[in-house]
Amino acid sequence: MNRTAKIALLVSGAVLACLIASCGVVLALRDWVPGLTGCEDPDKPTKNGVITSKIRIEQMWPQLAPIQQVHWQEHEARARSCPEIGPMDYVMDGFAVITAERVQALPATTAAPAPRVPEDLVPFAPADPAWLKVDGTDLLLDKASATVYFTHTTD
């Protein structure tokens, strides 16, 4: 191998090493400072504020209609990755106050443990609830306050 070939090989190796090192630095900074790559904070799922619209809830759970008042929230099921890979699932949680007639019509006889309520919805939870599982659903009912807790994850 002549001298020119050795120099070319050495320069090529140095350039390749610099490229690999640069890629490593960029990847390390991307995780350390998400804003550098245009990503939001990857450690927290995003969520919206508390919503009081009854329409969507009455469409999803017609057995609750007519709802007197509702407070619900939707949030991402997991923290986003950067870049985002695959579709995002969303979780909807909330409380609906229903009429006394609806309370009597719901088949709920089995005691259920207290749900994990998102922080923003805690002020709307009934005081000292006795949750019952509504048969055939994921709904929880507190008969004393006529309050239903609902949760739904998109597929």
Side-chain angles (χ1 to χ4, degrees), residues 15-28:
V15 167
L16 183 61
C18 286
L19 284 173
I20 291 171
S22 297
C23 288
V25 168
V26 167
L27 288 174

Side-chain angles (χ1 to χ4, degrees), residues 84-109:
E84 185 61 31
I85 300 170
M88 176 61 73
D89 288 334
Y90 292 88
V91 178
M92 173 193 287
D93 299 285
F95 293 102
V97 177
I98 59 177
T99 64
E101 294 80 24
R102 291 286 85 211
V103 170
Q104 295 306 315
L106 289 176
T109 56

Side-chain angles (χ1 to χ4, degrees), residues 69 71 94-97 114-115 117 121-132 140-150:
Q69 63 175 254
H71 296 90
F95 293 102
V97 177
V117 177
L121 293 174
V122 170
F124 307 105
D128 197 29
W131 295 113
L132 298 172
L140 300 179
L141 171 65
D142 176 47
K143 287 186 176 186
S145 66
T147 301
V148 172
Y149 177 77
F150 56 86

Side-chain angles (χ1 to χ4, degrees), residues 61-75:
W61 293 283
Q63 69 269 38
L64 302 180
I67 292 175
Q68 302 302 300
Q69 63 175 254
V70 66
H71 296 90
W72 60 279
Q73 185 175 48
E74 197 167 48
H75 60 88

Side-chain angles (χ1 to χ4, degrees), residues 1-18:
M1 190 182 271
N2 65 23
R3 181 175 179 183
T4 307
K6 288 181 183 178
I7 291 174
L9 191 58
L10 182 63
V11 169
S12 297
V15 167
L16 183 61
C18 286

